[in-house]
Amino acid sequence: MPKTEVNRPDMKLSTFPFLTGDEFSQACREFIRLVDGCDRQLESLGWTKARFDETGAEPVLVARKYTDSQPTESTETEPDVGGENANIEDEEDANIADEETIEDIEDDPEALVRRPVSTRKCEVEYHVMLSPTYRVPVLYFFLPGGPPCGPKELHNMYNSLVPAQFRSELRDVGVMGGVSITNHPLTGIPVYFVHPCATSEALKSVAGDKEQTTETYLLLWIGLVGNCVGLNVPLELVAQAGNL
């Protein structure tokens, strides 16, 4: 039996990597359709919510998922505090003793105590909205129930959410843009966001000569922008797009 052809709107983009309002909305609908097509597979990957909301002043794609906080570790040295150096009175002898202690630590791996690496799950809510200035999507995110966004929390967010290979680039506003704090366009509440100043050039560089559509646009964009702050593209979504 021949496969029934499904009537769908023209998915070609007029001026990639830039989007019109209609193209952004269609891209969000296509993304949600891919998510729905994966049934409940995404729940096993930590996704707890994905919806497209067009009821507010501006359309917004909402995704919520659990992500592993990035492991942190620190090294502490435990110097030899044996009694043989406790009664040294001469400063020169004390300096010699310190040098010997340092040599002992360097020669003895057990003198270096490394705290165990640990990770924990943190729930992050991501909002994707179209920038009227840059004409590309902008990623806003926050931790539901977490502390209010501020300079100290921004530093903690870098260390716990951003993979190590992206931290210096994001802090320096590299090709990915930079992570900062702004007021959410709809709620006015301070949230984190990835600045879109370099998004268009990065999208063109990654896409190359391959034609992009409203179906593939957000997969490419999330893989480029979202991946650096815990919003990765599940392979199930890519496979679902390839089967359509």
Side-chain angles (χ1 to χ4, degrees):
M1 181 177 180
K3 184 177 180 180
T4 302
E5 184 70 23
V6 179
N7 292 324
R8 295 166 60 188
D10 187 357
M11 296 186 300
K12 293 182 180 179
L13 301 175
S14 56
T15 54
F16 177 83
F18 306 106
L19 294 178
T20 65
D22 289 341
E23 288 170 343
F24 172 72
S25 293
Q26 182 61 26
C28 291
R29 296 187 195 101
E30 295 281 2
F31 182 80
I32 294 300
R33 185 174 55 81
L34 292 176
V35 171
D36 291 343
C38 289
D39 298 322
R40 296 186 175 275
Q41 296 181 61
L42 296 186
E43 291 185 7
S44 63
L45 301 176
W47 288 64
T48 59
K49 178 191 295 185
R51 61 183 175 85
F52 180 47
D53 188 351
E54 298 182 84
T55 62
E58 298 180 43
V60 54
L61 177 67
V62 178
R64 182 181 287 195
K65 68 183 293 288
Y66 284 98
T67 184
D68 289 328
S69 63
Q70 297 303 307
T72 57
E73 60 183 15
S74 61
T75 301
E76 293 181 345
T77 58
E78 292 186 349
D80 182 1
V81 291
E84 61 179 354
N85 294 329
N87 296 322
I88 296 178
E89 298 178 354
D90 185 83
E91 182 177 352
E92 181 177 353
D93 290 341
N95 291 335
I96 294 175
D98 288 341
E99 293 176 0
E100 291 176 348
T101 300
I102 293 174
E103 291 177 357
D104 290 342
I105 293 174
E106 292 176 345
D107 294 337
D108 182 9
E110 294 183 0
L112 294 177
V113 179
R114 185 174 297 277
R115 292 177 180 173
V117 175
S118 61
T119 60
R120 61 182 177 82
K121 295 286 186 180
C122 59
E123 188 176 27
V124 186
E125 182 160 313
Y126 302 90
H127 291 185
V128 181
M129 302 179 67
L130 182 65
S131 167
T133 302
Y134 292 94
R135 296 174 56 203
V136 294
V138 182
L139 182 62
Y140 303 91
F141 60 101
F142 59 94
L143 278 62
C149 298
K152 180 179 179 180
E153 286 70 28
L154 178 62
H155 174 76
N156 293 336
M157 183 280 299
Y158 266 107
N159 291 334
S160 63
L161 188 60
V162 178
Q165 66 268 30
F166 295 126
R167 289 174 191 167
S168 61
E169 186 171 10
L170 286 174
R171 284 195 174 102
D172 296 337
V173 193
V175 296
M176 302 298 300
V179 175
S180 187
I181 298 174
T182 189
N183 291 333
H184 193 285
L186 296 180
T187 66
I189 298 174
V191 292
Y192 306 115
F193 83 115
V194 181
H195 199 284
C197 60
T199 300
S200 60
E201 290 300 320
L203 284 170
K204 286 193 292 186
S205 176
V206 172
D209 296 330
K210 186 176 181 180
E211 183 180 60
Q212 300 299 316
T213 67
T214 52
E215 181 183 72
T216 62
Y217 188 97
L218 282 180
L219 294 179
L220 178 67
W221 178 85
I222 291 174
L224 184 67
V225 178
N227 192 47
C228 63
V229 289
L231 184 63
N232 60 311
V233 178
L235 293 178
E236 286 78 359
L237 286 187
V238 178
Q240 181 71 12
N243 291 332
L244 296 175

